[in-house]
Amino acid sequence: MQRLPGIAVSPGVAIGEALVLDHEGIRIPRRFLARGATEAELARLDRAIADATAEVEHNRERIAEQLGSDYGAIFSAHVQMLNDPRLRQELEELIRERHYSPEYSVSRVLRRYAKVFQALESDHLAERASDIFDIERRLLKHLLGERRGEIAHLDRQAIVLSRELTPSETANMNPEFVQAFATEIGGPGSHTAIVAEGLGIPAVVGLGPFVSEVSGGETVIIDGDAGVVIIQPDEETLARYRSIIEDQKSASVELAKLGDLPAVTTDGVTIQILGNIEFPSEIPLCLERGAVGIGLYRTEFLYLKGDTEPNEVEHYAAYKEVAEALGDKPVVMRTVDLGADKLSMLPQPEDERNPFLGLRSIRLALKYLDMFRTQLRAILRVSAEGNVRIMFPLISNLIELRRAKMVLADAMEDLQEEGIAFNRNIQVGMMVEVPSAVIMLDQFVQEVDFFSIGTNDLVQYTLAVDRSNKDVAALYTSADPAVLRLIKISLDVAKAHDKPISLCGQMSGAPIYTMLLLGLGLRAFSVTAAAIPEIKQVIRAVSIAHCEQVAQRALKLESARDVKTYLREELSRVAPDIVI
Amino acid sequence: MDALTVTRTVTVQHAQGLHARPAELIAKQALKFLAEIELGHERHRVDCKSILNILTLGATQGTVLVLTARGEDAEQAVEALARLVESDFPEQAPLTEKIQQPENAR
């Protein structure tokens, strides 16, 4: 049994068989063969070698035709390597004597060669290691038949273990088959984490190198609540986790009963619950659970799914799907909120030593105006057909906001000239997630129709902590008194000027903060579908009067730890069955 | 064993040493003979019919290697292979190594 600590990013617990993806995204299969399968597996190996050889031959001929026979020479070396008699012999030994699978044997033998090459003194010869990796990939491709994308086509339940998963890979996961996943890299704010939570797939990230220790088919436990992965658990651990899963099932059945009951406090104040989504597919669950609209629609996936910039048609198609799924319910579409480092189609910034302080989000949009305009046009076009609002992220000063609004006004003018319909009175809002915006909020009030507090970034910028850096991650907490004060300022200013304000960071989906936020004056919670039932449960169990007392007391505490302890205590009194 | 054993010392001449293309040609040539053929130095002797094994030698220009063949056609094998190892592998084009495979193999 092996217990690996990581970062919990999506709650829930799962026990299942490991599906392991290597660094190239190729599935690493079972290490050992079934009894009596040796001959069939050897035949499969020979077929893979023959197919890979034919493929390389084909490449060689094509290149030789185009560029001359000299250029095909490296392929001819590859053919020789694939058919190396020693290689074949070594593979056969592992398959026959150690009962290793052909895939595992191929990786093992070829990686050993690669290691030898890498250690050679001559750089030129050491580079041959890349030929070996190429051959390994090729053979594995033929042995496995499939490559990446496999997660999207799973036909039985599995727990996915991988070095990393892209947001779109995560988004393509079918929660019916992907029971949970764990990755070596990644942090709590990553899109992968956000998507996992949206889909309700338990996930742990940031585990550090571990994938090579696991082989396909092994039993794994993912504890997305505690942020732990357990490889080959012992019987006792398994039994304990099985009972945890049972408990969670019955708790979620209870929560599901809340259905679309209104989110009203015991003293009769109605609270708005809005959904946070990344994909249109998340909308039905949000509505089923009683969301009155979408408070945050993240548009980043459009930019992350390919190597080319999405065009207006693609933007429009995605936004239209969202607007249609919502009918007349409102949706806040947030413009692109990514760093240049994440966008392969843009030139990479030269001095990006601190991506979170660099060219990202609205700053990026204002630098690449064409890209920004494309997105704004698409949102505007959809505004003619649905209850669409627009929101700018990471606004840190007034000029920035005005420039963004100017681009929007330009886009409107263009559409007008082209005779394309849009809502001229579309509501425009901004994220409150940079401390400077909080401090100057009374100036912003005149310029926007609504605010949304983004606690994830607000916490990071207020406390100067990168939460994906495990050495300092512990400093990152929404409970820090400085953060609470900034939230209070924001809510107070918005209220004084009668501007709608919601909170869409992960803080709003964590039940421990619900009473505090209600007490501070928050009346609109924007959360993932997964978090709605619990938040609603708390809201329905408390009175505003009591929450105000809780908030006042919390604001007087001097450390995040004290705040958390106190809030936990208060919550356990009103909703004892919620596990934090 | 009464099989014929022939040994000869050879020096690598090619400027870039025994990299992929020369190793391929040597292995190919060796495979034409029935004899067991080894190439290497005292610490490390490898199967001359295996391109992968030849590459592990990391032989650069000027490296001295021992060629040993055991079997009926040992004489011819050593003769042919010694000539090859000490040649400049004229078929070798200088650009070949730089070509990236166009097809995405991942």
Side-chain angles (χ1 to χ4, degrees):
Chain A
M1 187 169 90
Q2 205 183 351
R3 208 185 134 88
L4 307 162
I7 303 166
V9 293
S10 179
V13 172
I15 304 173
E17 264 193 21
L19 173 86
V20 190
L21 302 174
D22 75 359
H23 290 195
E24 299 286 341
I26 291 173
R27 182 165 62 89
I28 301 171
R30 286 168 187 279
R31 182 180 297 191
F32 295 105
L33 296 177
R35 257 170 206 283
T38 313
E39 294 309 320
E41 293 293 294
L42 280 171
R44 202 160 66 83
L45 172 69
D46 286 333
R47 213 158 44 233
I49 291 176
D51 290 347
T53 303
E55 189 180 270
V56 178
E57 284 285 7
H58 176 75
N59 284 348
R60 186 178 64 80
E61 280 162 24
R62 210 184 50 204
I63 290 295
E65 241 169 59
Q66 288 168 1
L67 302 168
S69 62
D70 289 344
Y71 288 85
I74 192 63
F75 297 110
S76 119
H78 282 191
V79 168
Q80 193 71 20
M81 290 179 192
L82 281 166
N83 294 282
D84 190 308
R86 275 279 159 181
L87 173 66
R88 177 65 178 71
Q89 191 186 328
E90 286 171 67
L91 292 175
E92 183 165 345
E93 269 167 27
L94 290 185
I95 293 169
R96 274 192 198 287
E97 283 156 35
R98 299 225 203 164
H99 310 288
Y100 285 158
S101 67
E103 291 90 347
Y104 185 75
S105 308
V106 161
S107 283
R108 209 180 136 105
V109 172
L110 285 175
R111 283 181 185 209
R112 210 188 55 230
Y113 274 111
K115 237 182 210 164
V116 173
F117 293 169
Q118 279 164 341
L120 292 176
E121 274 167 39
S122 153
D123 288 344
H124 188 73
L125 291 172
E127 279 167 24
R128 298 287 62 82
S130 65
D131 291 324
I132 301 297
F133 289 128
D134 191 89
I135 285 170
E136 182 200 359
R137 273 202 299 274
R138 219 177 263 285
L139 275 177
L140 287 181
K141 191 180 92 178
H142 284 283
L143 282 168
L144 295 166
E146 295 241 10
R147 328 175 275 119
R148 266 204 196 263
E150 182 157 31
I151 324 173
H153 303 120
L154 269 182
D155 54 2
R156 61 191 182 113
Q157 289 207 321
I159 287 179
V160 175
L161 306 177
S162 177
R163 177 174 154 75
E164 76 174 306
L165 290 166
T166 64
S168 54
E169 278 171 331
T170 313
N172 284 324
M173 285 181 178
N174 182 346
E176 199 184 321
F177 296 122
V178 179
Q179 298 171 276
F181 71 80
T183 59
E184 294 183 347
I185 59 177
S190 65
H191 277 273
T192 300
I194 288 163
V195 174
E197 212 192 332
L199 292 172
I201 299 175
V204 177
V205 304
L207 287 147
F210 80 101
V211 164
S212 56
E213 315 274 311
V214 197
S215 61
E218 279 177 9
T219 301
V220 181
I221 297 174
I222 306 263
D223 182 343
D225 298 320
V228 173
V229 172
I230 300 165
I231 315 283
Q232 291 189 306
D234 56 31
E235 271 311 314
E236 198 190 322
T237 311
L238 268 177
R240 189 158 52 84
Y241 271 98
R242 281 193 191 113
S243 85
I244 291 176
I245 290 175
E246 279 312 308
D247 288 352
Q248 288 189 345
K249 263 189 201 148
S250 50
S252 73
V253 168
E254 281 304 306
L255 285 173
K257 285 185 192 155
L258 288 172
D260 54 1
L261 286 177
V264 182
T265 60
T266 56
D267 45 359
V269 177
T270 298
I271 306 300
Q272 247 192 346
I273 293 194
L274 302 156
N276 287 351
I277 60 161
E278 178 121 17
F279 301 97
S281 57
E282 299 171 73
I283 294 173
L285 191 57
C286 288
L287 298 183
E288 202 176 291
R289 293 182 168 177
V292 296
I294 297 302
L296 174 64
Y297 169 41
R298 299 182 166 89
T299 56
E300 285 72 57
F301 74 97
L302 283 161
Y303 296 87
L304 293 169
K305 67 181 183 187
D307 295 331
T308 54
E309 201 191 305
N311 58 31
E312 190 178 318
V313 175
E314 289 166 295
H315 277 290
Y316 178 75
Y319 303 159
K320 191 175 161 72
E321 198 182 340
V322 169
E324 275 176 356
L326 282 162
D328 56 359
K329 293 197 171 70
V331 50
V332 175
M333 299 190 174
R334 184 179 67 186
T335 60
V336 61
D337 188 21
L338 281 171
D341 52 327
K342 301 261 172 22
L343 291 169
S344 51
M345 58 281 225
L346 296 180
Q348 289 306 293
E350 282 165 29
D351 296 317
E352 200 68 293
R353 269 170 291 237
N354 292 307
F356 283 112
L357 303 181
L359 186 62
R360 59 171 293 214
S361 199
I362 194 70
R363 302 167 182 177
L364 182 92
L366 292 172
K367 181 175 167 76
Y368 297 102
L369 282 176
D370 285 343
M371 187 177 94
F372 193 31
R373 215 173 280 128
T374 303
Q375 179 172 36
L376 293 178
R377 280 177 62 99
I379 295 176
L380 283 171
R381 284 174 57 191
V382 176
S383 75
E385 302 166 44
N387 190 347
V388 172
R389 298 165 189 184
I390 193 165
M391 177 160 72
F392 301 122
L394 205 79
I395 297 290
S396 60
N397 66 57
L398 209 52
I399 305 301
E400 213 166 34
L401 174 67
R402 287 185 182 146
R403 284 187 61 206
K405 284 174 68 181
M406 202 112 76
V407 183
L408 181 67
D410 282 350
M412 285 184 178
E413 217 165 290
D414 290 347
L415 289 175
Q416 175 98 30
E417 274 174 28
E418 293 166 38
I420 299 171
F422 64 95
N423 173 12
R424 178 162 287 284
N425 299 317
I426 186 169
Q427 289 199 19
V428 179
M430 65 177 259
M431 295 281 293
V432 179
E433 51 187 343
V434 184
S436 64
V438 177
I439 294 164
M440 305 301 287
L441 207 66
D442 54 336
Q443 292 195 351
F444 286 101
V445 162
Q446 315 301 332
E447 314 252 346
V448 291
D449 299 310
F450 64 92
F451 295 110
S452 187
I453 305 175
T455 45
N456 298 6
D457 273 341
L458 186 61
V459 173
Q460 149 167 288
Y461 292 129
T462 303
L463 305 177
V465 181
D466 175 0
R467 64 174 164 172
S468 52
N469 176 343
K470 65 178 187 325
D471 292 323
V472 296
L475 295 171
Y476 181 100
T477 167
S478 309
D480 194 284
V483 175
L484 303 190
R485 284 195 194 183
L486 290 177
I487 292 172
K488 182 173 171 10
I489 295 173
S490 310
L491 293 171
D492 287 349
V493 172
K495 190 177 175 195
H497 294 83
D498 223 8
K499 285 280 161 179
I501 184 164
S502 63
L503 195 147
C504 66
Q506 278 161 333
M507 189 182 188
S508 67
I512 184 174
Y513 299 116
T514 310
M515 295 172 79
L516 168 75
L517 292 171
L518 286 170
L520 289 172
L522 186 71
R523 297 292 179 266
F525 289 70
S526 194
V527 299
T528 59
I532 294 177
E534 274 186 354
I535 299 304
K536 191 155 50 172
Q537 188 191 2
V538 179
I539 291 171
R540 292 176 58 87
V542 298
S543 71
I544 293 293
H546 177 59
C547 291
E548 281 171 352
Q549 287 169 11
V550 170
Q552 268 173 17
R553 168 100 184 265
L555 282 171
K556 289 194 186 111
L557 297 172
E558 57 184 25
S559 74
R561 214 170 108 182
D562 293 351
V563 170
K564 272 196 170 168
T565 311
Y566 171 61
L567 293 179
R568 199 172 286 134
E569 222 176 80
E570 285 292 334
L571 178 63
S572 69
R573 261 182 232 151
V574 298
D577 50 331
I578 289 185
V579 198
I580 316 167
Chain B
M1 230 195 281
D2 56 353
L4 179 63
T5 301
V6 180
T7 296
R8 190 179 305 178
T9 303
V10 289
T11 306
V12 176
Q13 300 295 336
H14 191 272
Q16 290 174 333
L18 297 188
H19 63 87
R21 181 66 170 159
E24 177 202 347
L25 295 173
I26 293 169
K28 263 188 181 154
Q29 181 70 267
L31 279 163
K32 291 179 186 161
F33 299 98
L34 293 168
E36 269 176 50
I37 310 168
E38 284 186 346
L39 185 66
H41 28 75
E42 273 167 37
R43 284 162 293 127
H44 189 44
R45 301 171 69 81
V46 303
D47 184 346
C48 194
K49 295 179 181 178
S50 161
I51 175 174
L52 291 169
N53 279 17
I54 296 171
L55 285 169
T56 65
L57 291 172
T60 50
Q61 188 176 33
T63 302
V64 178
L65 296 171
V66 178
L67 193 56
T68 310
R70 214 172 285 109
E72 254 175 63
D73 52 3
E75 189 87 52
Q76 297 93 307
V78 166
E79 182 59 36
L81 286 163
R83 214 180 318 124
L84 195 54
V85 174
E86 300 205 310
S87 79
D88 196 32
F89 299 94
E91 309 89 311
Q92 172 63 26
L95 274 170
T96 357
E97 295 294 305
K98 297 212 174 80
I99 308 276
Q100 290 299 309
Q101 297 208 207
E103 191 220 35
N104 186 358
R106 281 188 301 163

